[in-house]
Amino acid sequence: MSEIRFAGYGGQGIIRSGIIAGKAASIYDNKHATMSQSFGPEARGGACSSQLVVSDSKVLYPYITVADILVAMSQEGYDKFEPELSENGMLLMDEDLVKPKPPRGTMKVYPIPATRFAEQLGNKIVANVVMLGFFTAVADVVTYDAMKKAIPSSVPEKAVDLNLKAFDRGYEYGKELLQK
Amino acid sequence: MNSLISALHKGIDKSGIDRTKISVPSDIPFVPGVIKELGVDYFQTPRGRAIAFGTGLKLGNPGLKVIPVVGDLMTLGGNHFVHGGRRNMELLVLCVNNFIYKKIGGKPTPSMPAAFSPYSTFEEPFNFPHLGNSCGAVYTARWTALHTEELAQSISEALHKRGLSMIEVLAPGPDYYRDINDIESDILQFYYENAVVKNNEDPRNVAITPDEKIMVGKFTDKERPTFIDSYNVQHSKILKDKFTPHGTVSQEQKASGDKNV
Amino acid sequence: MKANPKDVLTGTYYIDGDVACGYGALAAGCKFVAGYPITPSTEAFEAMCRRGPQVGAVFIQMEDELGSMAAVIGAAWSGVKSMTITSGPGYSLMQENIGFGAMVETPFVLLNIQRGGPSTGVPTKTGQADMMQSRWGSHGDYEIIAIAPESPQEMFDYAIKAFNLAEKYRCPVMIMSDECVGHMTEKVVIPEADKIEVEPRRLFKGPAAEYAPYKPDPDLVPKMAKAGDGLKLYITGLVHDERGYPVKNEDYKAAYVRRLIDKIKRNKDKIIEIREEAVDDADVVVVSYGISSRVAIKGVEIARENGIKVGTLRLVTVWPFPDERITELARKVKAFVVPEINYGQIVFDVARCSHGHANVVLVPHGGAGVHNPNDIADAIEYAAKEKKKIQGVVEHKTRLEKLVFEGGYKLKE
C-alpha cells in the first residue's frame, strides 16, 4: 500500500494530479485507489492538496496516516505536509519552488525543475503532468502504460498532445536521474 | 364564500381549458365536494408551499395548468412567490386575502389594514399587485369575491398567460361558505361597496389603506419568457442536438421563430 | 423493468461519490431534481445539472430547501421520479415537507451528504450525526427508509436501489451518505442498461371512479396516481380516509397512521439489507454503517491480530432497523461495538434491541474526520475482556476524547 500526498497551490492542477494517478492505478493497473481532496479555505488560492491511497486490496481507511510519498509543488505545501512524510519516505519536489530541510531518516529526495520544463514545452500549466511523469518513473506506484492511458480522458481534448509530451519529459528525466 | 369557487368555475369554463389538466395546490383546506365539482386535482400542501409544490407539478408535466391558491402567500410563501415571479414560472397564483386568519382566531396577517384589528395594527401591509408586478409577474389583478364576473374574466385571461399570474381576491377564507355570519358578509359587502374599478392603474398606487377606497381591476398584463422558455433556449444553445426541449413550445414562439426568447 | 439505455452512462469512471450518486439517480430514471446548493453535496447537484438536460431530466435551483422539497413532491405527483440533494442546514429546512411527503405517501429520494454539525458546523468535513433526524426529523409518526453507502460505487448502486424502494413502498427514501464518501474519488463501474433493474411507478389502472389514493394493496402500499388523469385527486396532509378526504374521527387516525407505519414495518424483511461477516463464533460484533463500517474493518483486523474473535454487521439500510437480528445476536455475543461519527445515535437502537444480553460500546467521534482504527480496535478489546454486564451504553474514550477531557474541553497542547 502507498499513501501519497500531492501538495501545491490552487491552480497548479494538484487535484487533477491525484485524479490522473488514481485513475491510472485503479482503472488501468487494476489496483484499488482512493483519492480525497482537501476542501475549504485552504483550497482557494493558498495551499492545496490531494491524497491518494493505492493498494492491492480494498482501501479501508481513505486518508493518509503516514505518507510514503510527498509530491511538493510549492514551499507552503512542502512545509505543511513534510511532517506527515515517513522517515523512509520519498520526497518529489519542484526544485525551483521548494527549498527543503535536510531529509529525516532514510528519506529520499528527488528534485525536478517541473515548472521550468513545462514552460519550455510552451505552457507552465502542464507542470503537474511533468511531475506526474517524474512520479511514475521514480515512485513505482503506477505503470507508465496506465498513466499514458489515463491522461487523455483527464485533460481538455486540445491539450492531450501537450500533456502527453509533458508526461514523457518528466518520465525521461526521472529515469535518467535514477540511472545516475 | 362560494363566490371564489363559482368564479373559478366560470373562469375555467371561459378559458376552454380541460379541467382534468388543472391542478390546484393550496394551503387552504377546500372541502372535497368543492374539488369534485370543480373536477380538478387538488393538493393541500403545508402552509405557504403551494407555489413551490406547483413548480414541481408544472416542471414534471408542462402539460398541466397549475393554480396555486394561497392563503399564507406573503408570510410563509413569500420567498416562493418572489422567485416564482422572477423565474416567470407558469402558475396562476390566486392570493386569497381574507385579512384575518379566522380559523386560528383572528391573528393579524402581513396584509391586514389597521381598521380590521381589534386594537389596530402598527405594521404596514403589503401591496400585493405592486409586489407581484415588481417580482416579474406577467399578470396582476385584484377583485373582491363579490366581483364574480370580473374575477372569472381575470381567471380565464390569466390561464392563457405564459408565466406567473397573480390575482388577489379579497374574500373570507374558502371554508366560510359553510358558516357565513353577519359580520363576515358585512365585511365582504363593505369591500364590495368600497371598491372602485381602476383597470391599468399603476400597481404602485393600489395599496389598500383604511381611509381610502379599495382599488380593484387588472393592473399588469405583459409578456416575458417563461422559466421553461429560458431553460430550453439556454440548453439548446449550449447542448445543441444533445438537448430535447422540455415541454411544448407555444404556437406564438413557433410563429415568431423564437425571436423573443 | 430494465433501465432506459439513454439514462445510463455505461462505462468505467474515476469519479467521486457525489457524482456517482447523480449518475445512479439518472440511471434509475430520475427526471426531476430540485435543490439548493450546499457543501458538500454540490458536486451531485452539478453532475445532474450537467447530464440531466441531455437525458430529459429537468433541474431547478430553488429559492431554498423548503421550496426544493415541496417541488420534488409536486413533481412526483406530476408523474415523474424526483429527488433532492442537500446537507446539514438544508436537511433541517426540508423536514417540514418530508413529513408531508410521508403523510401523502409520495415516492421520492433525498440525498443527504452529511457534514459536521450542529448548525453550520464543519461544511467541508464529514459527519454521521443526522441519522436520528432522518428517522424522526419531521413532526408526528411516520416511517422512511434510509440507506448508508460506503463508496462511490455504492453511491451509484444504492441510488438506484433508493429509487426502487421509493416506488415500491410509496415513501421517502433517504440516502444518508457523508462528506467522506461524497468527496472520495474511486473507480465506479456503470453497467449496461439491461443489467439495471428499475422499479416502475405503481400506478392505478382502472376506471377513474374506482380510484382511491390510499386504498392499500395486500402489502399495505396503495397504488400511486398522477395529476392530469381526470382522477379528481384530493391529496392532503390532514389525516385522511382511503379517498384522501380529511377525517377527524380518532379511529380513522389510528387506522391511517398505523398503516403508514406498518407498510414499512411489515415489509421490513424485504427492505432491510445488512452484511455480516464472521458473526457466528464472534465474541464481539461491530455494528456500523456508511464510511464508519469501512474504517471499522481496519480496527477489526487489528483486534483479530490480537486474537479476538470479532465479527461485523454492516447496516446498509439503517432504517428500518433490524431489531430482531440484533436481538438474536445479543443472546450469542458478549458485546456490540458501535463506531459512529456522532456522540451516540444508532448505538441506542443497538442497546434497545440487545435487551441487556450483550454489552454495548459506543466509539464516538465528534465529526470533521473519521475514526482512528486503533480506537475501534481498543474498544473491541475492551468489549471482549469486560466480564461485567453493564446497563446502558458504555462510551469508549478515544484518543481524541481523552485529549478533550484532559484539556478541559480544549485539546490539550
Side-chain angles (χ1 to χ4, degrees):
Chain A
M1 195 174 77
S2 306
E3 300 182 15
I4 305 140
R5 169 80 68 177
F6 294 92
Y9 51 82
Q12 275 182 318
I14 298 300
I15 310 293
R16 182 68 43 194
S17 298
I19 291 177
I20 295 172
K23 187 192 260 187
S26 67
I27 298 181
Y28 301 106
D29 278 342
N30 283 316
K31 291 185 176 180
H32 294 260
T34 302
M35 198 280 292
S36 305
Q37 50 192 300
S38 63
F39 285 82
E42 72 263 35
R44 292 180 191 124
C48 164
S49 85
S50 62
Q51 35 192 323
L52 178 67
V53 182
V54 180
S55 170
D56 290 331
S57 58
K58 184 174 171 179
V59 176
L60 297 171
Y61 188 83
Y63 301 128
I64 284 175
T65 47
V66 177
D68 301 298
I69 302 165
L70 169 63
V71 181
M73 301 275 289
S74 76
Q75 187 65 40
E76 202 183 339
Y78 168 82
D79 291 342
K80 189 167 174 195
F81 296 110
E82 193 277 339
E84 72 173 15
L85 181 60
S86 157
E87 281 190 355
N88 312 316
M90 203 183 261
L91 168 67
L92 278 62
M93 56 171 217
D94 188 314
E95 64 184 52
D96 296 338
L97 302 176
V98 178
K99 293 281 160 276
K101 296 180 288 194
R104 294 175 279 123
T106 59
M107 196 183 280
K108 291 195 188 73
V109 181
Y110 298 95
I112 177 176
T115 308
R116 217 189 312 149
F117 284 167
E119 277 163 356
Q120 286 163 9
L121 287 165
N123 196 338
K124 74 173 182 184
I125 197 122
V126 294
N128 63 329
V129 181
V130 174
M131 184 58 103
L132 276 178
F134 186 62
F135 164 81
T136 307
V138 302
D140 197 28
V141 173
V142 285
T143 63
Y144 175 84
D145 288 348
M147 288 296 279
K148 290 284 265 199
K149 282 183 201 155
I151 289 170
S153 59
S154 311
V155 301
E157 212 172 304
K158 57 177 196 273
V160 171
D161 286 346
L162 176 63
N163 275 278
L164 289 174
K165 234 183 261 171
F167 178 80
D168 280 336
R169 184 77 183 89
Y171 183 81
E172 280 152 23
Y173 186 81
K175 283 286 169 207
E176 283 165 26
L177 193 75
L178 285 183
Q179 272 163 14
K180 274 181 206 164
Chain B
M1 157 85 185
N2 247 342
S3 32
L4 172 61
I5 306 290
S6 71
L8 254 177
H9 267 292
K10 281 187 198 159
I12 294 171
D13 273 346
K14 257 190 188 166
S15 74
I17 288 166
D18 177 1
R19 283 163 185 252
T20 64
K21 298 295 169 206
I22 295 177
S23 280
V24 179
S26 176
D27 53 19
I28 298 170
F30 283 83
V31 298
V34 167
I35 297 302
K36 236 179 150 178
E37 247 173 73
L38 272 175
V40 299
D41 293 319
Y42 167 78
F43 302 90
Q44 191 195 333
T45 69
R47 300 165 306 156
R49 310 286 167 237
I51 291 175
F53 186 96
T55 297
L57 275 171
K58 181 70 192 177
L59 289 179
N61 178 0
L64 297 174
K65 283 279 176 189
V66 182
I67 311 180
V69 181
V70 196
D72 301 295
L73 180 69
M74 276 326 294
T75 47
L76 290 157
N79 208 22
H80 308 312
F81 178 69
V82 167
H83 287 271
R86 176 184 60 74
R87 290 182 191 113
N88 205 24
M89 190 57 66
E90 275 180 87
L91 304 168
L92 164 53
V93 179
L94 293 184
C95 162
V96 180
N97 191 347
N98 59 350
F99 295 91
I100 46 167
Y101 296 134
K102 161 73 164 35
K103 290 199 73 127
I104 51 171
K107 287 183 192 158
T109 79
S111 60
M112 191 180 67
F116 301 111
S117 178
Y119 298 110
S120 187
T121 183
F122 46 87
E123 289 191 41
E124 282 288 318
F126 266 124
N127 172 352
F128 283 143
H130 177 31
L131 181 76
N133 187 63
S134 315
C135 294
V138 291
Y139 187 100
T140 69
R142 174 196 288 146
W143 301 104
T144 78
L146 291 182
H147 288 87
T148 322
E149 290 304 320
E150 293 89 338
L151 181 55
Q153 178 60 30
S154 261
I155 289 172
S156 86
E157 281 175 23
L159 276 172
H160 286 291
K161 290 297 291 183
R162 302 189 68 256
L164 188 128
S165 306
M166 188 219 75
I167 303 173
E168 181 183 11
V169 184
L170 304 181
D175 254 9
Y176 279 71
Y177 70 99
R178 291 199 293 206
D179 59 345
I180 285 183
N181 62 35
D182 292 345
I183 299 165
E184 282 147 8
S185 60
D186 281 356
I187 289 175
L188 200 52
Q189 200 61 37
F190 170 83
Y191 293 161
Y192 187 70
E193 281 165 9
N194 283 280
V196 286
V197 179
K198 282 223 169 161
N199 282 318
N200 303 318
E201 179 63 53
D202 186 326
R204 280 178 296 187
N205 304 332
V206 303
I208 298 174
T209 59
D211 310 322
E212 287 169 70
K213 290 281 185 192
I214 299 170
M215 276 182 255
V216 295
K218 175 172 84 177
F219 306 122
T220 310
D221 192 348
K222 61 188 179 193
E223 304 289 330
R224 275 177 68 213
T226 66
F227 176 86
I228 295 179
D229 291 342
S230 311
Y231 183 91
N232 285 340
V233 167
Q234 184 70 8
H235 287 97
S236 301
K237 200 156 71 189
I238 295 165
L239 295 172
K240 310 249 161 36
D241 57 350
K242 279 191 215 156
F243 176 71
T244 312
H246 186 62
T248 44
V249 180
S250 78
Q251 293 308 316
E252 298 99 281
Q253 259 180 293
K254 273 182 196 154
S256 69
D258 284 10
K259 271 190 302 247
N260 305 327
V261 289
Chain C
M1 199 174 102
K2 302 292 178 201
N4 180 350
K6 205 184 155 203
D7 297 338
V8 184
L9 203 61
T10 304
T12 303
Y13 302 89
Y14 195 64
I15 48 180
D16 72 20
D18 278 3
V19 174
C21 190
Y23 289 169
L26 292 172
C30 176
K31 290 289 179 247
F32 180 83
V33 194
Y36 189 84
I38 184 165
T39 302
S41 68
T42 318
E43 290 84 349
F45 195 59
E46 280 169 4
M48 299 198 76
C49 294
R50 195 174 290 271
R51 190 164 146 71
Q54 302 178 43
V55 299
V58 187
F59 73 89
I60 181 168
Q61 178 175 329
M62 291 297 284
E63 48 278 4
D64 55 34
E65 286 89 351
L66 301 157
S68 305
M69 197 66 259
V72 163
I73 299 169
W77 281 97
S78 80
V80 298
K81 292 187 182 178
S82 58
M83 84 178 295
T84 187
I85 296 163
T86 195
S87 182
Y91 193 50
S92 291
L93 285 183
M94 287 177 177
Q95 296 303 327
E96 174 199 61
N97 282 287
I98 288 171
F100 174 59
M103 182 61 160
V104 300
E105 299 184 61
T106 310
F108 67 83
V109 172
L110 187 155
L111 167 63
N112 179 1
I113 304 289
Q114 295 175 83
R115 65 191 221 184
S119 188
T120 309
V122 191
T124 57
K125 300 265 166 73
T126 197
Q128 289 184 316
D130 306 351
M131 297 311 296
M132 280 298 166
Q133 190 182 17
S134 73
R135 173 75 181 79
W136 307 106
S138 198
H139 55 279
D141 280 317
Y142 64 101
E143 287 273 341
I144 52 93
I145 297 171
I147 305 179
E150 58 146 47
S151 67
Q153 180 69 53
E154 284 198 355
M155 289 288 265
F156 177 86
D157 296 341
Y158 285 111
I160 295 167
K161 177 165 176 150
F163 275 93
N164 290 349
L165 287 169
E167 296 300 335
K168 214 167 190 164
Y169 298 103
R170 246 186 94 173
C171 72
V173 177
M174 321 263 171
I175 303 172
M176 297 299 290
S177 184
D178 69 274
E179 187 275 337
C180 182
V181 174
H183 279 164
M184 168 197 287
T185 303
E186 282 188 332
K187 181 165 91 168
V188 175
V189 179
I190 300 182
E192 305 274 347
D194 64 7
K195 301 277 187 315
I196 297 174
E197 210 47 61
V198 300
E199 188 76 23
R201 184 144 293 180
R202 196 171 176 150
L203 282 178
F204 172 78
K205 292 179 189 91
E210 280 171 28
Y211 181 63
Y214 301 103
K215 187 178 168 200
D217 283 350
D219 64 355
L220 297 182
V221 185
K223 293 261 193 308
M224 187 64 185
K226 60 182 177 19
D229 284 351
L231 295 171
K232 298 182 191 174
L233 296 174
Y234 189 101
I235 305 300
T236 175
L238 291 164
V239 172
H240 41 264
D241 61 18
E242 289 188 346
R243 296 167 301 173
Y245 297 172
V247 283
K248 288 184 179 123
N249 181 310
E250 275 174 21
D251 298 340
Y252 259 116
K253 179 171 186 317
Y256 183 71
V257 179
R258 183 80 246 174
R259 184 181 60 73
L260 209 56
I261 306 284
D262 278 4
K263 75 169 177 180
I264 304 299
K265 283 201 170 160
R266 292 261 187 100
N267 290 304
K268 237 162 82 157
D269 292 346
K270 281 178 263 171
I271 300 168
I272 290 173
E273 181 176 338
I274 51 178
R275 288 197 204 151
E276 294 178 358
E277 192 252 336
V279 293
D280 286 337
D281 61 340
D283 286 332
V284 177
V285 168
V286 176
V287 180
S288 56
Y289 56 93
I291 186 61
S292 299
S293 62
R294 198 167 158 167
V295 174
I297 306 286
K298 199 121 187 172
V300 167
E301 284 173 357
I302 300 168
R304 280 181 186 154
E305 279 167 24
N306 296 335
I308 298 165
K309 283 198 272 181
V310 48
T312 58
L313 186 153
R314 178 181 161 213
L315 304 163
V316 176
T317 50
V318 178
W319 308 121
F321 196 73
D323 294 20
E324 290 80 5
R325 183 59 183 151
I326 297 290
T327 303
E328 196 182 338
L329 285 173
R331 292 176 200 281
K332 295 188 201 162
V333 303
K334 271 190 185 163
F336 293 109
V337 168
V338 185
E340 47 184 342
I341 307 175
N342 56 51
Y343 287 106
Q345 297 199 6
I346 298 303
V347 71
F348 293 110
D349 271 72
V350 176
R352 174 178 61 80
C353 297
S354 58
H355 300 289
H357 292 297
N359 287 342
V360 178
V361 181
L362 165 68
V363 191
H365 193 298
V370 299
H371 287 88
N372 178 339
N374 292 308
D375 284 322
I376 299 173
D378 291 350
I380 295 168
E381 284 191 42
Y382 157 75
K385 283 180 192 141
E386 180 62 65
K387 293 216 167 55
K388 289 194 303 264
K389 277 269 180 285
I390 300 173
Q391 292 291 310
V393 170
V394 183
E395 198 172 314
H396 179 75
K397 294 281 166 294
T398 63
R399 286 157 176 77
L400 193 62
E401 295 286 289
K402 279 179 193 150
L403 290 178
V404 170
F405 288 121
E406 283 166 20
Y409 296 92
K410 294 188 299 224
L411 277 193
K412 212 176 153 193
E413 296 290 313

